[in-house]
Amino acid sequence: MFSTTGSYSVVARSILNGALLAFEEVNATSKNIELEPVVVNPSGDLARYRSLSLELLGSGIRQVVGCYTSSSRKEVIPCFEKFDGLLWYPSHYEGFESSDNVIYTGAAPNQHVLPLVDYLASRVGSRAFCIGSNYIWAWENNRIFREALIARGGTVLAERYLSMGDTEVDQVIAAIIEQRPDFVFNNLIGTSAYAFFRAFRAACRARGIDQAAEIPVASCTLSEPELPEIGPDAIDGHLSSSVYFSSLNSPENAAFINAYAQSFPDGPASSADAESSYIAVKLLAAALSQAGSDDARRVRAAVADQRLRAPQGEVRIDRQTFHAWLTPRIGRSSVNGQFEVLLESREPIAPDPYLVQSSPRFASAMRSPLLKVV
Amino acid sequence: MSSRLLQNFKGGRAIVVTRRGGWESTLETTLAKLGVSTEYPEIIDGRAQIDVTSLQADRDILFVDGDLEGAVAIEVHPASRLPPVPVIGLVGVEAPSRLKALVNLGATSFLRKPVHGGAVYTSLFMGINQFLLRAEMSERLQDLEERRRGRRAVIRAVVLLMQHGGLDEEGAYSQLRRESMRARQNMELYCEEFLSKRAKPPDTSGRTTGIMLQGGNKQAI
């Protein structure tokens, strides 16, 4: 269930492809199970996500790989809880959730935004300008980012939000250029993000600013299929925090990239989210095979502690949170439409969706004057 | 007021007072994800066996099943109406009498039985932060109450300085304010000490009235 049309369709088509590739491979190699994918497209419409979930669950389907945006996931979770189905959610997200009816194969915030804060604060600068699409992903990811950056002595100069799909980015860009942050933290998704990258590069160029060097843009979402959407004039120099880049050098990734390219020669290119849905389907197949049933509880029990040699490295499902152990990386986009890996974790790290291990006990205080006249 | 919200509950201990029936496993596994361990005190003769003196407000959270009548006996603070640790009510039968009993225990948040995993973080977040907020407000109220009682000393000190220091009202007030800041004391306390240093015979009638007023007002609040 992916929105293969609509404002974030490029990523969604890549995610769907990742899942379809895994279905193909499972059916070609598995001896005891055969999976038949049913593909539906909610077109980015929240109400459609809900009605399609009810339709799928009502038809007897109990395992759904689906959703990219957090708002769509939150919209459908009650359906999965009511009919006891399992949603395999294959995207990085903002955490603070752990439904018993969801298996989360994408990165939790300690696997994407916190490593990015470490990188930016230690190598780029301390003054951030935060932007995002106006929904829960950007609000919460910006909050986590702000708290972590402030804890490291940094400051957030401003936060600006655009409606999903909005491409009127000039005002935001004027504000950024006026404030001259050390970097922009971007949580815009889909067409809004592409318009921003293009216009920001052009606006900087017009003022003689080397954008990539002087005001780099860092995201937790930017992936390979989106780079051609930005276009050749602004494709390079963008930072991305992700558990997967297609430039990774490993036999598993080479096999994945080749198989993906053969199955989907017309694109869009593979991405972290495509790898995540590929992992989701592989784990689903392993769990179904072990459980001998598609009953949600039995499959859930069977997926706990499942391990997989994935394109990004070893992945396993944490039995407490039903999120995945993944390997964080920081990449920078190049003119060839790939990411150059700048840093990577030596090993997979445990998911911490509630940031229990990695956030301060108290939220950072609201700004108030230290001294006031009485 | 810049109260800080507690958002990471790691290292917390949930003491869950209930008759175990299986439904509580969702609560326990969800609390574990939030870094909170769970204990179930024994219930003997209808009373949960909790050592109230060992409870720590920065670690413990008491979950009380409203369907158990009188299982928990803890004292709430007379002024703030707060229990010694945050209390979260577990609501089964939604009857006013049971909800009232939980409110009287100082519950700052509620969870419906059977517990839904998706409701636990909200309930913990509200329960603990409302507890902290109320404790902070109660402290401020107590502080203001004390300062209100001390205002009389300020008036007397101003009058004294006007009579003997040749200052007008504004000058006397400014001097006292300056001196209290220099002494790093609030003005009320500084003025009380200022008066006691100068006072000859203590004004016992005034003091007595003050104490009575203090008691009377507290009751009214």
Side-chain angles (χ1 to χ4, degrees), chain A residues 32 66 132 150 369:
Chain A
N32 62 347
I150 288 171

Side-chain angles (χ1 to χ4, degrees), chain B residues 18-25 40 65:
Chain B
T18 186
R19 277 193 213 292
R20 302 185 66 175
W23 61 267
E24 71 282 0
S25 68
Y40 300 94
D65 189 337

Side-chain angles (χ1 to χ4, degrees), chain A residues 81-161:
Chain A
E81 290 179 339
K82 185 172 178 187
F83 292 96
D84 210 12
L86 266 190
L87 173 69
W88 297 73
Y89 177 63
S91 183
H92 54 284
Y93 83 116
E94 68 287 346
F96 290 83
E97 188 186 287
S98 65
S99 168
D100 285 349
N101 294 79
V102 182
I103 309 292
Y104 304 81
T105 60
N110 69 308
Q111 295 162 326
H112 58 74
V113 55
L114 295 186
L116 185 62
V117 173
D118 277 343
Y119 178 84
L120 292 168
S122 61
R123 299 180 189 222
V124 179
S126 59
R127 296 162 64 251
F129 194 113
C130 297
I131 57 174
S133 293
N134 197 11
Y135 77 111
I136 187 160
W137 152 256
W139 305 330
E140 275 296 302
N141 215 38
N142 273 335
R143 177 192 66 79
I144 296 167
F145 178 88
R146 182 174 63 241
E147 293 192 353
L149 188 69
I150 288 171
R152 299 194 55 144
T155 47
V156 172
L157 303 175
E159 274 180 37
R160 293 280 187 281
Y161 294 94

